[in-house]
Amino acid sequence: DSGVTQTPKHLITATGQRVTLRCSPRSGDLSVYWYQQSLDQGLQFLIQYYNGEERAKGNILERFSAQQFPDLHSELNLSSLELGDSALYFCASSGLSGTASYEQYFGPGTRLTVT
Amino acid sequence: AQKITQTQPGMFVQEKEAVTLDCTYDTSDPSYGLFWYKQPSSGEMIFLIYQGSYDQQNATEGRYSLNFQKARKSANLVISASQLGDSAMYFCAMRGGFKTIFGAGTRLFVKA
């Protein structure tokens, strides 16, 4: 158990809908990262937050947004869902931002299926 | 631009033997970190080992060691005494600046 929690574990929804994925980092970790893992794109970095502030953006679509709250939990919002958004979404956390030495601990993931 | 390459889509190894999973990288950042993660069929991502770009010695964690050759820009994972439970997908990753990128992964099959 990495200490990172994600809810829900599975989500099935229809095209055009909006969903929210939730992540609670390990106790004490200030950074939260979101990743998308799909069969054709592999593991893609989406976005990073550090202590409530956006720190880095990767291949995140404009239909997607995220935020980190004062209690450090984070939410990833996916809107106008398309079939291609079906993927495993991971949240990870680490201790400090911008420091290459801090490994990221991954949550169990949320499997999103868009029908 | 940063890049991670894992050239072995799949590997077979006999139980109790050692296996090396290849990873090469490219970055212009002077400071970076290299990681290996294991993803079993259950889907979770398990952190295995870390190597910093300024670390003089190769990292080791139990049966895992990272063969870091900075001049060649390679960071191969060596698993000693393979076990059936090592069958999984293995990802090499690099963190430079604020971004982390992952390789395409290598699927390891351990044969009894």
Side-chain angles (χ1 to χ4, degrees):
Chain A
D1 186 350
S2 67
V4 179
T5 60
Q6 288 186 250
T7 56
K9 283 189 175 180
H10 301 276
L11 198 49
I12 301 174
T13 189
T15 54
Q17 295 298 305
R18 172 189 169 96
V19 297
T20 297
L21 312 184
R22 183 190 166 104
C23 168
S24 292
R26 292 189 316 161
S27 178
D29 282 356
L30 299 176
S31 279
V32 169
Y33 310 79
W34 286 98
Y35 293 89
Q36 178 194 58
Q37 186 178 31
S38 60
L39 286 175
D40 56 343
Q41 295 289 326
L43 199 62
Q44 299 281 323
F45 166 69
L46 296 178
I47 197 164
Q48 179 200 353
Y49 278 82
Y50 172 72
N51 204 21
E53 301 286 329
E54 181 185 304
R55 188 54 65 98
K57 254 186 179 179
N59 302 320
I60 188 166
L61 300 173
E62 286 191 9
R63 299 183 286 109
F64 296 0
S65 64
Q67 53 184 329
Q68 186 180 26
F69 295 87
D71 67 352
L72 300 177
H73 92 270
S74 179
E75 293 181 356
L76 178 67
N77 300 296
L78 314 176
S79 62
S80 303
L81 285 168
E82 302 175 359
L83 295 177
D85 298 328
S86 295
L88 187 55
Y89 291 84
F90 284 108
C91 167
S93 74
S94 69
L96 292 177
S97 170
T99 306
S101 62
Y102 285 87
E103 60 265 25
Q104 297 171 29
Y105 290 90
F106 280 71
T110 293
R111 184 165 295 281
L112 173 67
T113 302
V114 182
T115 61
Chain B
Q2 296 179 331
K3 189 177 180 181
I4 287 274
T5 303
Q6 293 181 256
T7 57
Q8 306 152 313
M11 289 275 291
F12 284 88
V13 65
Q14 196 68 39
E15 192 180 11
K16 299 180 185 177
E17 291 186 350
V19 63
T20 298
L21 306 184
D22 294 341
C23 173
T24 57
Y25 63 92
D26 194 15
T27 182
S28 56
D29 290 318
S31 176
Y32 51 90
L34 296 157
F35 306 83
W36 278 91
Y37 288 87
K38 172 184 178 181
Q39 187 177 39
S41 58
S42 52
E44 72 267 35
M45 294 286 286
I46 303 168
F47 166 75
L48 296 178
I49 197 167
Y50 160 81
Q51 178 86 41
S53 57
Y54 292 117
D55 291 344
Q56 296 296 315
Q57 292 190 321
N58 287 342
T60 60
E61 290 285 348
R63 294 186 299 111
Y64 304 108
S65 60
L66 200 153
N67 185 1
F68 181 47
Q69 297 188 42
K70 195 170 183 177
R72 289 187 171 187
K73 295 189 175 180
S74 73
N76 298 338
L77 177 70
V78 180
I79 306 174
S80 63
S82 296
Q83 302 172 355
L84 295 178
D86 293 335
S87 292
M89 197 75 170
Y90 289 81
F91 291 96
C92 179
M94 175 173 64
R95 177 167 170 79
F98 297 117
K99 294 188 179 180
T100 303
I101 59 170
F102 283 76
T106 295
R107 185 167 294 281
L108 179 66
F109 300 91
V110 181
K111 299 183 291 184

